[in-house]
Amino acid sequence: MAQIPETNDARLTRQRVAEALTEAGYPISPRTLATKATRGGGPPYSLFSGRALYRWGDALEWAQSLTTAPRRSTSEADAQRSAA
């Protein structure tokens, strides 16, 4: 069981950020993060000696931004799209 970092400023490797996000309820694999780093759409990261390092707060904020509001049925999503 992975530990969720205590501070938002913690720097994590791709493997660790995937484990921490999964533990926080946002299941994702390191491979998906690697693909998103290549194609775009993932959390921001920095390079340290050629390795991607993610700031925990940025990764968590990214995951939360992809999460919809609670729904009671799939038709609620259809209604929201129709109204937009």
Side-chain angles (χ1 to χ4, degrees):
M1 187 180 266
Q3 278 192 309
I4 297 172
E6 294 182 17
T7 174
N8 283 342
D9 288 325
R11 306 281 177 183
L12 307 174
T13 63
R14 190 168 283 147
Q15 177 69 38
R16 278 286 295 119
V17 81
E19 291 169 358
L21 282 172
T22 298
E23 182 66 21
Y26 302 98
I28 194 163
S29 72
R31 189 170 182 159
T32 298
L33 290 171
T35 298
K36 291 195 174 292
T38 302
R39 297 181 184 169
Y45 65 94
S46 300
L47 291 177
F48 175 73
S49 294
R51 290 184 80 184
L53 290 180
Y54 297 81
R55 187 179 157 276
W56 170 241
D58 292 339
L60 183 59
E61 184 177 302
W62 168 79
Q64 291 169 337
S65 75
L66 297 175
T67 306
T68 66
R71 299 177 183 165
R72 291 194 171 97
S73 74
T74 56
S75 61
E76 287 181 29
D78 294 338
Q80 289 173 350
R81 278 193 291 263
S82 296

